[in-house]
Amino acid sequence: MGSNDSISVGGKQNGLSLKEIIISINGWSKYILSKWLVYIIVGIIGAGIGLLLASIQKDKYEANLTFVIENSQSGDLSSYAGLASQFGIDLGGTVRSGIFSGDNILEFLKSRMLIEKTLLLPIEKNGKGYSMADYYLNISDLKKESNSAISFPLEIPRAKLDRMQDSVLNIIYTKITESNLKISKLDKKLDFIQVRFTSKDELFSKIFTENLVKEAIDFYINTKIQRYNTNIDRLQMKADSIEKLLNQSTVELARIQDINLNAVRRVAGVSNELAQRNKTILQTMYIEVVKNLELTKISLVQERPIIQIIDKPLMPLKNVKIGKVRATFIGAFVSMVLAFMMVVVMKLYKNIMAE
């Protein structure tokens, strides 16, 4: 090309005239367009690579489950919390906190404890049962890669796993959290949580997603129930104890009244007054304890359920494998962009070397 086709890089002049800029742009345009055959050839090669990759890529099935966390409805009980605390009772539920508050739920759903618990659950295919851990080892080729004969029998307790099983389970957990499982909020202002699980097996994606969320819900409910049941048992014991004392006080008062039925001296009425006062105190305590007992039971009911499932994964699941047509166009486009950049770089290099 002539000298008009090159653009000065770090030239001797402090600036370029408008004519020189137009000539340089025209030179660059002609040079870039003159390489059209390179773009086509490279584009065809890229399209072929994209088509090849799409052909050898294995199917991937994505299961989506969306649920919403409800805010606690026990605000009406807050006025009774102080009263209940006098008896050592925590009604709870006035503020939603803990693992299900804020973004804690996102990390909890990816926790090792929860995922391992889910992996030890059973899954059935073609009438045969497997542990989900064994099933995952087979579909992910981890068993072949590690040449391991480690297996996880159905319904085996987590505490009974040996050292090798624990090691393999940790490998599965790491792979799932890094490659398969995605937890996100649909909107930062809302409590809608989306669980996405992608794997080569359609059935496993669906069952694992459902079981993971179910285990999380069960864990939360059981934790809540345990606390409330502890409070209920404590209150029930107090109520039974006070009721027993109240009954004894009633009998004692009746006995004293019978003895002093025809008494003349005033001192005879003192024991009667003391018995009456004790009975009144026990009645008041019994009423308050029973009230707190019923409030705790109401609070327990209001805490369930805390999570509502909005969307469940339904068969057939979405196949997220990239299509052949799309892969062909992407391969062609990316390769042509790279070819264009190489042409520009080579042109700059020639201009610099010609200075």
Side-chain angles (χ1 to χ4, degrees):
M1 276 192 172
S3 60
N4 291 339
D5 293 340
S6 63
I7 184 170
S8 176
V9 179
K12 297 178 181 180
Q13 296 182 354
N14 293 331
L16 296 174
S17 65
L18 179 60
K19 179 179 179 181
E20 289 173 325
I21 293 174
I22 294 175
I23 292 174
S24 296
I25 293 174
N26 184 50
W28 271 90
S29 300
K30 288 181 178 180
Y31 180 80
I32 291 173
L33 292 176
S34 67
K35 304 297 181 181
W36 62 271
L37 186 58
V38 174
Y39 305 141
I40 293 177
I41 294 174
V42 174
I44 292 174
I45 295 174
I49 294 174
L51 180 61
L52 178 62
L53 292 176
S55 300
I56 63 177
Q57 184 185 21
K58 295 182 179 180
D59 292 332
K60 290 185 178 181
Y61 298 96
E62 182 181 86
N64 285 280
L65 189 149
T66 304
F67 64 91
V68 61
I69 305 174
E70 295 180 348
N71 289 320
S72 176
Q73 301 299 319
S74 55
D76 295 338
L77 299 177
S78 59
S79 59
Y80 299 99
L83 182 62
S85 63
Q86 296 177 8
F87 294 90
I89 306 301
D90 178 21
L91 290 182
T94 55
V95 178
R96 182 165 59 87
S97 60
I99 59 175
F100 278 75
S101 64
D103 291 339
N104 291 352
I105 180 63
L106 304 182
E107 294 303 319
F108 175 64
L109 286 167
K110 294 188 291 184
S111 66
R112 177 173 177 175
M113 180 272 293
L114 190 62
I115 291 178
E116 288 186 350
K117 196 172 182 180
T118 304
L119 286 169
L120 295 178
L121 293 175
I123 182 173
E124 184 176 325
K125 186 173 184 179
N126 299 327
K128 188 175 181 180
Y130 310 85
S131 67
M132 298 197 76
D134 276 342
Y135 198 100
Y136 185 83
L137 284 173
N138 292 327
I139 65 173
S140 63
D141 297 327
L142 281 177
K143 184 169 289 189
K144 294 180 181 178
E145 293 174 6
S146 60
N147 295 320
S148 174
I150 297 296
S151 64
F152 298 86
L154 287 172
E155 307 296 338
I156 183 173
R158 177 66 179 84
K160 291 188 177 182
L161 296 182
D162 60 30
R163 185 181 180 89
M164 289 300 298
Q165 287 174 320
D166 185 72
S167 177
V168 172
L169 200 62
N170 184 56
I171 293 174
I172 298 174
Y173 161 73
T174 302
K175 186 172 180 62
I176 284 177
T177 53
E178 292 179 353
S179 307
N180 305 107
L181 182 64
K182 303 295 180 185
I183 312 293
S184 61
K185 271 192 173 184
L186 296 181
D187 192 303
K188 292 183 178 179
K189 297 180 180 179
L190 302 177
D191 288 330
F192 285 85
I193 308 297
Q194 184 181 60
V195 180
R196 291 183 297 157
F197 189 89
T198 306
S199 75
K200 301 174 184 177
D201 190 276
E202 188 176 23
L203 177 64
F204 186 86
S205 293
K206 179 180 185 297
I207 300 300
F208 184 90
T209 303
E210 293 176 339
N211 284 347
L212 181 69
V213 175
K214 181 180 181 299
E215 286 297 315
I217 295 173
D218 289 346
F219 177 86
Y220 180 78
I221 291 178
N222 290 337
T223 303
K224 281 286 187 180
I225 289 176
Q226 183 179 4
R227 185 177 70 173
Y228 281 106
N229 282 342
T230 301
N231 290 338
I232 289 173
D233 291 341
R234 189 184 306 166
L235 283 169
Q236 190 65 59
M237 290 179 61
K238 285 182 178 290
D240 294 341
S241 177
I242 294 174
E243 183 181 17
K244 183 179 180 179
L245 292 174
L246 183 59
N247 291 337
Q248 292 174 353
S249 178
T250 302
V251 173
E252 179 66 15
L253 178 61
R255 187 185 67 81
I256 292 174
Q257 288 175 342
D258 288 341
I259 294 174
N260 299 323
L261 183 62
N262 297 317
V264 177
R265 300 179 63 182
R266 285 176 175 264
V267 70
V270 173
S271 59
N272 182 60
E273 184 179 345
L274 290 174
Q276 183 65 50
R277 185 175 62 186
N278 289 338
K279 180 181 178 181
T280 302
I281 292 173
L282 288 171
Q283 283 177 332
T284 303
M285 293 176 62
Y286 183 72
I287 291 172
E288 293 301 327
V289 170
V290 171
K291 183 192 298 183
N292 285 319
L293 177 61
E294 294 304 316
L295 285 173
T296 305
K297 290 179 180 179
I298 292 172
S299 182
L300 173 59
V301 171
Q302 290 182 334
E303 289 289 336
R304 303 179 63 183
I306 194 68
I307 297 177
Q308 290 188 347
I309 304 297
I310 305 301
D311 292 318
K312 286 186 176 182
L314 299 175
M315 294 291 198
L317 298 182
K318 178 183 178 182
N319 190 343
V320 295
K321 171 185 174 181
I322 187 171
K324 293 182 179 180
V325 175
R326 184 183 177 189
T328 301
F329 277 107
I330 292 176
F333 176 77
V334 171
S335 59
M336 291 176 71
V337 169
L338 293 175
F340 171 79
M341 294 173 62
M342 286 299 299
V343 168
V344 172
V345 170
M346 292 299 296
K347 177 63 175 174
L348 287 173
Y349 177 77
K350 290 180 179 180
N351 288 345
I352 293 173
M353 297 303 294
E355 286 292 329

